[in-house]
Amino acid sequence: MALKTLKDLDLKGKKVLMRADFNVPLKNGSITDDTRIQAALPTIKYILEQGGALILMSHLGRPKDGPTPEFSLKPVAERLGELLGDSVAMAPDCIGAEVEKLAAELAPGKVLLLENVRFYKEETKNDPDFAGKLAALGDVYVNDAFGTAHRAHASTEGVAKLLPSGAGYLIEKEVEAFAPLLSNPQKPMVAVIGGAKVSSKIGVLETLLPNCASLIIGGGMTYTFLKAQGYQIGNSLLEEDYLDTAKQLLQKAEAAGVEVILPVDHVVAAEFSETAAAEPVDSTDVPEGKIGMDVGPKTLDKIRPVIAGAKTVIWNGPMGVFEFKNFEAGTKAVAEMIADCGGITIVGGGDSVAATNQFNLADKMSHVSTGGGASLEFLEGRTLPGIAALEA
Ligand SMILES: Nc1ncnc2c1ncn2[C@@H]1O[C@H](COP(=O)(O)OP(=O)(O)O)[C@@H](O)[C@H]1O
Ligand SMILES: O=C(OP(=O)(O)O)[C@H](O)COP(=O)(O)O
């Protein structure tokens, strides 16, 4: 798959519209891990050095009700300004007359960050009119949002059809890093899947099965699977609509001879809060009224030999609510097992990468990817719409 890249674009004096994945973890309005911003810097600097005026766009989180301050990209503009040593202008919106004026007046070498594109539902619907309004802001389009390349959205896919386009350095680097895994994965391969995006990732698991010897499921994913098997899950995270999918996946894994490891004990809390007390539960069932927040020690004992025996480990999704000190132990232990396993280790996803950094293990992983869902889909051999749109 040959991609059009930055080198195929004439950037000098141009308004360069660039899609980045600035969906960074935030706590009380502050960025807790800026890996995704750092990862976009090589492309950003190249565009500025070439004399482009850079208009950046991204989503942040999954806002449901239009513009909401907690999903504003303002903290990203500030952090990016610090990293570049030059102020980054923050647009009040991502489309409209005021934004058009700011974009038109943007000087070469300067940066304007548009407000969260997901403040418009047209973004995720890949609405052509909305894509047209975004495209009108630039002369050329660069996509460097690997973490969002699995989404066919207006800013990742729609705009690419409307402007001369190319992939940024991050997309190029990620695609290269995954190439050996696609062509020649070292086996046995083990997938460790957790986190909170059950509906996004549960479908991907099925396609991972043929290549995996074992599938380890933890984090918020756990409870949809446990409930599907008839266990009690208390008030834990559940995506009710995916109970059947979970049941079918377990049946398919059994038929394919793939070992599935699910938590057999938990650390629970009475409420989802940083200050909640950690209560160990030595049972697969979660007591009524409690929330499963982390995997327990017996689960870790089951996971340990499986990861130690792997030649390739793919990890996406924390094993628990690692952002809260009382519930970080499971994620930390599994991250350490992966870092020490001696095989090829791929960590992907905004929060999994944040966890890897929190435990100072990034240097011990073979590849730390800015994409979680994107890397899983890419590894399955699926065409990522954001990348397909950049094919030469
Ligand atoms: N048991 C759990 N209940 C609720 N949320 C959880 C649980 N375990 C992990 N999480 C949350 O999952 C989030 C990360 O999920 P996800 O976005 O799928 O991962 P990534 O960003 O690495 O792809 C984290 O914020 C973490 O707190
Ligand atoms: O954080 C992201 O994905 P990830 O959690 O799978 O790494 C991307 O920014 C995509 O976000 P989305 O899953 O809301 O489309």
Side-chain angles (χ1 to χ4, degrees), residues 47-391:
I47 292 168
L48 297 175
E49 280 159 18
Q50 295 297 306
L54 180 60
I55 302 156
L56 284 165
M57 55 182 173
S58 176
H59 74 288
L60 178 76
R62 293 175 169 181
K64 289 192 180 69
D65 305 314
T68 336
E70 68 174 296
F71 292 112
S72 169
L73 280 163
K74 275 188 200 124
V76 172
E78 277 166 33
R79 181 75 189 115
L80 183 58
E82 285 163 17
L83 292 169
L84 290 172
D86 191 11
S87 66
V88 168
M90 183 69 214
D93 203 336
C94 61
I95 55 168
E98 205 177 336
V99 178
E100 282 163 25
K101 186 164 180 287
L102 286 170
E105 289 171 356
L106 191 69
K110 301 302 273 185
V111 185
L112 172 69
L113 175 60
L114 304 184
E115 190 49 282
N116 195 339
V117 284
R118 287 196 190 166
F119 284 167
Y120 291 83
K121 60 183 180 335
E122 290 86 347
E123 159 67 0
T124 50
K125 292 189 170 152
N126 200 356
D127 178 83
D129 287 343
F130 181 70
K133 286 178 190 161
L134 292 172
L137 300 172
D139 304 311
V140 295
Y141 170 70
V142 172
N143 187 0
D144 215 16
F146 179 77
T148 324
H150 56 320
R151 309 289 184 212
H153 293 172
S155 67
T156 60
E157 205 263 350
V159 173
K161 295 186 197 139
L162 304 174
L163 291 174
S165 306
Y169 289 126
L170 177 62
I171 284 198
E172 278 196 274
K173 188 175 123 185
E174 294 268 15
V175 168
E176 267 169 40
F178 283 111
L181 275 180
L182 286 165
S183 56
N184 183 26
Q186 300 291 304
K187 296 200 174 170
M189 184 155 106
V190 172
V192 182
I193 310 292
K197 293 180 178 173
V198 182
S199 42
S200 281
K201 289 169 191 172
I202 203 166
V204 184
L205 302 185
E206 187 180 335
T207 9
L208 278 174
L209 284 181
N211 276 322
C212 283
S214 308
L215 180 58
I216 296 168
I217 296 172
M221 277 267 174
T222 303
Y223 307 98
T224 303
F225 280 91
L226 289 186
K227 181 150 182 162
Q229 288 182 306
Y231 291 103
Q232 301 300 312
I233 62 160
N235 290 342
S236 307
L237 187 76
L238 169 69
E239 289 202 33
E240 194 103 39
D241 293 349
Y242 287 83
L243 284 171
D244 281 343
T245 316
K247 208 180 277 175
Q248 283 159 17
L249 184 98
L250 293 172
Q251 285 161 357
K252 281 177 187 154
E254 195 179 350
V258 177
E259 173 192 34
V260 177
I261 297 179
L262 273 160
V264 291
D265 60 348
H266 313 272
V267 180
V268 306
E271 54 172 29
F272 193 89
S273 119
E274 175 131 44
T275 49
E279 304 171 35
V281 171
D282 187 5
S283 139
T284 309
D285 289 303
V286 173
E288 210 182 319
K290 303 287 182 180
I291 305 167
M293 301 284 277
D294 197 7
V295 296
K298 282 194 180 152
T299 306
L300 294 173
D301 287 344
K302 284 186 79 176
I303 295 173
R304 197 167 285 108
V306 178
I307 292 181
K311 289 236 165 67
T312 303
V313 182
I314 300 162
W315 174 33
N316 173 233
M319 294 290 102
V321 186
F322 74 96
E323 298 95 331
F324 300 165
K325 191 87 190 147
N326 288 346
F327 306 99
E328 68 166 25
T331 304
K332 184 167 190 246
V334 169
E336 282 167 354
M337 291 174 206
I338 296 171
D340 292 338
C341 81
I344 293 167
T345 52
I346 316 282
V347 184
D351 291 297
S352 308
V353 171
T356 306
N357 289 332
Q358 184 172 311
F359 306 130
N360 292 315
L361 294 170
D363 290 347
K364 295 183 79 180
M365 304 295 183
S366 313
H367 180 56
V368 177
S369 172
T370 51
S375 59
L376 291 179
E377 291 199 21
F378 195 59
L379 282 168
E380 283 170 49
R382 281 199 206 177
T383 309
L384 304 187
I387 295 182
L390 306 172
E391 273 175 36

